[in-house]
Amino acid sequence: MDKSRSHPETLREVQPFTFSQSSLQDFSDCPRRFQLRYLFQLSWPAPIAEPIQENERLTRAGERFHNLARQALLGVSLDALHESVLASGESNLPLWWQHFLQLIPLLQVGECRPEYSVSVPMGEHRLLAKFDLVQYFATEQRAVIWDWKTSLHRPPRARLEKRWQTHLYPYLLARTGLPRLGNASLTPSGIEMVYWFPHTPDQPERFLYSEEQFQRDEESLQAILAEINRRQPSQFEQTANERHCHFCVYRSLCERGIQAGSLEEMEGDIDAPGESSLDLNFDQIGEIAF
Amino acid sequence: MVKLTPAQHHLLNQPFEKRIFLEGPAGSGKTTVGVVRMLQLLHAGVPGDQMLVLVPQRALGIPYLRALASPEAPPGGQVSVLTAGGLARRMVDLFWPLIARQAGFAHPERPPVFLTLETAQYYMAHLVRPLLEEGFFESISIDRNRLYSQILDNLNKAALTGFPIEEISERLSAAWNGESSQRRVFADAQHCAMLFRRYCLEHNLLDFSLQVEVFRNFLHPSFLCRAYLHDSVRHLIADNIEEDTPFAHDILREWLPELDSALLIFDQDAGYRRFLGADPESAIRLAAACHETLLFTNSLVTRPGMETLGEALGNVLLIYSPHHSQPTPPQKNDWKEILNFPPQSLRFYPQMLDWVADEVARLVESGTRPGEIAILAPILSDALRFSLANRLDVRGIPYRSHRPSRSLADEPAARCLLTLARLAHPKWNQPIEPEEVIHALFIAIDGLDLVRARLLGSIVFRKHSRQLSSFTQIKPEMQERITYSVGNRYETLRTWLSDYAAQPEMELDLFFSRLFGEVLSQPGFGFHTDLDAGRVTANLIESAQKFRQAVENAGGMEGTSPGCEYLAMVRDGVIASTYVSSWQPPVEDAVFIAPAYTFLLYNRPVEHQFWLDAGSNAWFERLYQPLTHPYVLSRGWEPGRLWTAAEEYQTNRETLFRLTLGLLRRCREKVHLAFSELSEGGFEQRGMLLRSIYQIQIQETRHG
């Protein structure tokens, strides 16, 4: 009975827990998925979508794009970055990069914080956001949250509007402000969330935030946290919408299918590298000699 | 809320702008005050994203991460908790285009390829293997993988200490005091290190040493990186700096004058990671760059007897040191209360393990929480881990173990996947033994016992064809014995493999993922509800994927696919033998089985410690490392000085003293000394640890 293999079964056992937009979305899509991924911390490495190679290529291209955007915004030479895009051999990247270069002048107005993370306590837990970019306009006391979306299919606005990210990110920015940029308290109406799609750069989706929405979001967040908190192990039920299962790695464990769904039909967030834990292996060298 | 001592309050009352050097023994509340200081700064309005907590190893950052994840931390930007190596890697990744050309990489326009320990060993093997055929290293007998890792170790030591890699052999040779043929070995190691470095530069590969060197020599001095760090790190807490390297200390020394606040925490009598370049002497010099040194003296963890025993061990073990001329008996006899011995002499090793398991069971029955017990060995082999695990299982005691270099390739689920991969790729011509197929079927098919797996495997697998035949071709009476339900599952697996083999070859990690998702984790197959198999498969996929990506990004390899090469490397023990799985926080309430040094670096006191195999010399002797040397390649070593046998002996004694003192300072109640007259291999045991404790007993008897 190696206890390293046992896991908590309810949220109460893992307090405090840090909720991200992905974990909130997972719970909303399928409580069972939330339980398997975050409570059991279960590695279940089945394919997410087919063709598996294409999915991997797109994920890597998305990660690469996020990295390039960050480097460019931190002042790394655009020529050097351009050279690396051309040498990458990645088919989507040159076009995405071209589009991003056109966006850069717009991003150079005001002050920019690329790859900025904030967290906020809520009850016994915390909420976390990892912004691709926050742009702040001091004179107008206004901030724009940019999120790069490199997924193959652009989700419809109505779908984006329902996603937790659209609510959590502006809510958290309103709660924390931008103290390093000289503004410790932003009003909700001064915040805008923009999803920018490098393959369709002229059609970003913009969501203006407001005081009313802030209040509603706070209530929704409190409600969902309380809901997850009160659930017993058997109450993390599987989703009734089996479409989610097509793109879920746990489909075999839940006996909800054999093959992964088609990438063509996937509208997703395969482009969010921030929540993977690449850095967990940075320190392998530090673990070996003993 | 933590109750703080006056000393801790005194520190917290210091103004933020003061740079503080905090020194004290383990268990005196240093990390606790470090965590509270971090929260204090955050509550005072310091932006979290301008704060860095630097630790020498991820596990030592856990208390800070826990505090940051708690609702007590205020809203705001995220504090970074990093190691110096992690920081270097992040900066290299971020600012790569700035320095790639200048640092000598042949393809600055391509992204860097960061090597893991596994992939670094792979490339080292790739370069060194032909040289071994030519007679390199012929005068020493050493496992090849250890040879590769020691050459890498030399490169890492050079980078962390800060001397040019060209000087490795010169330094080792100058200190060598034995047969001259060893100098030839050092020269061979030097040649291999240089070859490896050239290869890395030609292919954009960055092993740990090159990440450190590129950061130190090119990035850190660059304006953009410096400005970025200057902006991101205004407040610093560096904990356990005695376990960190001169590389980390150099960065700290440079940063300190410019920081808005700093707290450096130094654990006295430690420096356990010396083999990894830890340098407590270099760490303590940072005190001079701080405004004030504060000292915590009292242990908040141990009973007085622990300190008495620690002092007595110091008296015995350090008597040959110029600073300690006379061994003296313990001043008090409270140390006896904290030691527990077997009631009678145990002759054989298994008897010792039985005694340990019985004692653990007795403690748990009498109310001790399993998480308050640690079983510590100088070296934790698979066999020892298995023997202990069996005994604890029988007694119903929960346990967890941690051994850093556990072989992934030895996990049953991984062995199953690797065999199925060979079967699915007949063109790769990888040898497959019938026993491997039997094992793979046994693991893969739910409801198949070992007897029937053997029967099925011996019928359907022919070694020469490397393929599986159909269940339908088996004689009906045999089908009946194997059962039709098992037969159906077998057919599903076989058909899947055969269909796959008819398609164009897929990347090995993607093959594993698909095989896992579509067959092995489906109902009726062995991984379906086996959560541990899922974890092992994920680790294997990660290992194979990193290997492939490293090989692809470095320009690929001629004449063979990365998947085929990966399987060959696993068979040779180069890959998947040193895989380090993702860090996991310790489970609270289970007996912890670990090497003693690993326990120290978890830095979590327990009530009861079992010192296993206390008579073994492994507690005392340094690992055999003929190609490297942790002391000679350290910054404090005078070039040209000889490393003598007396020095080796004295250093081992000092190391044993530090180790035992560290353990005692992390023990609240009792140390249980477990030993047998004969070792696992049947030899008489009289190791230095046990002898030292006997010596303390004798001294006390003599002095009444």
Side-chain angles (χ1 to χ4, degrees), chain B residues 264-463:
Chain B
L264 309 189
I265 301 177
F266 179 88
D267 199 350
Q268 290 169 339
D269 304 309
Y272 309 116
R273 288 165 37 105
R274 212 174 262 275
F275 282 94
L276 296 173
D279 194 334
E281 291 80 23
S282 152
I284 204 148
R285 284 196 289 272
L286 288 168
C290 293
H291 294 117
E292 185 165 359
T293 296
L294 297 178
L295 205 59
F296 284 5
T297 48
N298 298 330
S299 172
L300 308 176
V301 171
T302 62
R303 295 165 65 183
M306 299 287 175
E307 276 300 315
T308 312
L309 181 60
E311 280 168 29
L313 278 168
N315 282 335
V316 170
L317 287 166
L318 304 180
I319 53 172
Y320 293 105
S321 145
H323 311 295
H324 298 80
S325 52
Q326 275 295 319
T328 52
Q331 298 302 303
K332 302 173 200 157
N333 62 8
D334 52 3
W335 63 278
K336 288 180 187 164
E337 296 159 21
I338 59 105
L339 272 184
N340 179 30
F341 294 88
Q344 74 236 10
S345 172
L346 304 172
R347 179 122 181 98
F348 300 107
Y349 194 80
Q351 290 177 299
M352 175 193 71
L353 298 181
D354 287 338
W355 179 76
V356 169
D358 286 340
E359 283 294 289
V360 169
R362 188 184 60 75
L363 288 169
V364 173
E365 274 162 29
S366 60
T368 304
R369 285 178 39 227
E372 285 294 338
I373 301 170
I375 303 176
L376 307 172
I379 293 165
L380 185 61
S381 65
D382 276 337
L384 176 55
R385 182 173 167 270
F386 181 75
S387 304
L388 277 169
N390 263 349
R391 284 165 169 83
L392 294 176
D393 272 339
V394 167
R395 289 159 180 83
I397 310 286
Y399 63 87
R400 66 194 172 88
S401 64
H402 177 83
R403 192 163 62 81
S405 301
R406 180 173 162 187
S407 169
L408 175 61
D410 287 340
E411 296 277 1
R415 283 169 57 201
C416 168
L417 283 159
L418 292 164
T419 303
L420 295 179
R422 288 190 207 104
L423 283 168
H425 297 90
K427 286 181 196 156
W428 289 354
N429 281 325
Q430 298 264 343
I432 311 170
E433 295 301 321
E435 274 303 315
E436 291 175 315
V437 175
I438 291 164
H439 174 267
L441 294 174
F442 169 62
I443 297 292
I445 297 173
D446 192 27
L448 180 61
D449 59 44
L450 200 52
V451 175
R452 283 182 298 163
R454 195 167 292 285
L455 188 62
L456 177 64
S458 60
I459 296 170
V460 296
F461 178 67
R462 290 284 170 271
K463 197 174 170 183

Side-chain angles (χ1 to χ4, degrees), chain A residues 53-68:
Chain A
Q53 295 100 324
E54 180 63 2
N55 188 37
E56 194 214 2
R57 188 187 67 75
L58 277 170
T59 307
R60 284 174 70 179
E63 289 173 359
R64 191 75 205 284
F65 176 80
H66 277 75
N67 206 26
L68 282 166

Side-chain angles (χ1 to χ4, degrees), chain A residues 1-5 16 42-47 50 52-53 56 60 67 70-71 74-76 80-81 83-84 87 113 116-121 123-124 126 128 176 180 252-253 255 257-259 279-290, chain B residues 49-50 57-58 68-71 73-78 83 89-90 93-94 109 117 156 208 224 228 231 272-273 276 393 398-400 404-405 507 510 513-514 516 518 521-523 527-528 532 534 538 541-542 545-546 548-549 553 587 590 601:
Chain A
M1 158 172 55
D2 187 336
K3 283 284 279 189
S4 63
R5 291 164 201 170
L42 182 59
S43 299
W44 207 250
E50 290 284 359
I52 189 171
Q53 295 100 324
E56 194 214 2
R60 284 174 70 179
N67 206 26
R70 186 182 186 198
Q71 289 172 318
L74 285 174
V76 175
L81 293 177
E83 203 184 345
S84 77
R113 294 294 323 276
Y116 176 53
S117 300
V118 296
S119 86
V120 163
E124 301 148 313
R126 292 189 80 84
L128 170 76
T176 58
R180 275 180 69 184
S252 58
L253 192 66
E255 303 188 15
I258 294 176
Q259 261 113 16
D279 55 340
L280 287 182
N281 293 301
F282 285 3
D283 308 319
Q284 283 206 11
I285 193 68
E287 304 276 0
I288 55 167
F290 295 118
Chain B
D49 51 316
Q50 288 194 314
Q57 181 166 302
R58 287 187 68 84
L68 291 168
S70 80
Q78 290 284 92
T83 61
R89 167 164 173 170
R90 280 185 190 200
D93 196 23
L94 194 55
E109 74 289 354
L117 178 64
N156 294 338
F208 180 81
L224 199 57
Y228 175 83
D231 189 43
Y272 309 116
R273 288 165 37 105
L276 296 173
D393 272 339
Y399 63 87
R400 66 194 172 88
S405 301
E507 289 80 358
L510 303 184
S513 175
R514 200 182 259 171
F516 173 83
E518 295 180 5
S521 67
Q522 291 290 335
F527 294 14
H528 178 50
D532 200 41
I541 288 173
E542 190 186 5
Q545 185 188 50
K546 283 184 175 161
R548 170 176 53 101
Q549 289 174 349
N553 292 342
V587 177
L601 293 169

Side-chain angles (χ1 to χ4, degrees), chain B residues 31-88:
Chain B
T31 296
T32 301
V33 85
V35 170
V36 178
R37 182 65 155 185
M38 175 184 74
L39 294 175
Q40 190 187 28
L41 284 159
L42 292 173
H43 280 289
V46 167
D49 51 316
Q50 288 194 314
M51 202 185 297
L52 172 67
V53 175
L54 194 72
V55 286
Q57 181 166 302
R58 287 187 68 84
L60 294 168
I62 294 171
Y64 296 91
L65 291 169
R66 285 211 172 129
L68 291 168
S70 80
E72 281 174 44
Q78 290 284 92
V79 176
S80 297
V81 181
L82 285 176
T83 61
L87 177 78

Side-chain angles (χ1 to χ4, degrees), chain B residues 180-220:
Chain B
S180 60
S181 61
Q182 178 66 20
R183 293 201 169 85
R184 166 77 207 174
V185 173
F186 294 144
D188 288 351
Q190 177 74 59
H191 181 82
C192 294
M194 299 305 294
L195 202 62
F196 180 77
R197 176 57 59 88
R198 271 200 300 278
Y199 191 85
C200 285
L201 290 169
E202 279 162 20
H203 295 87
N204 277 27
L205 303 173
L206 285 101
D207 67 319
F208 180 81
S209 70
L210 200 46
Q211 290 168 41
V212 167
E213 285 197 14
V214 167
F215 176 74
R216 186 215 307 269
N217 300 338
F218 300 99
L219 261 181
H220 201 224

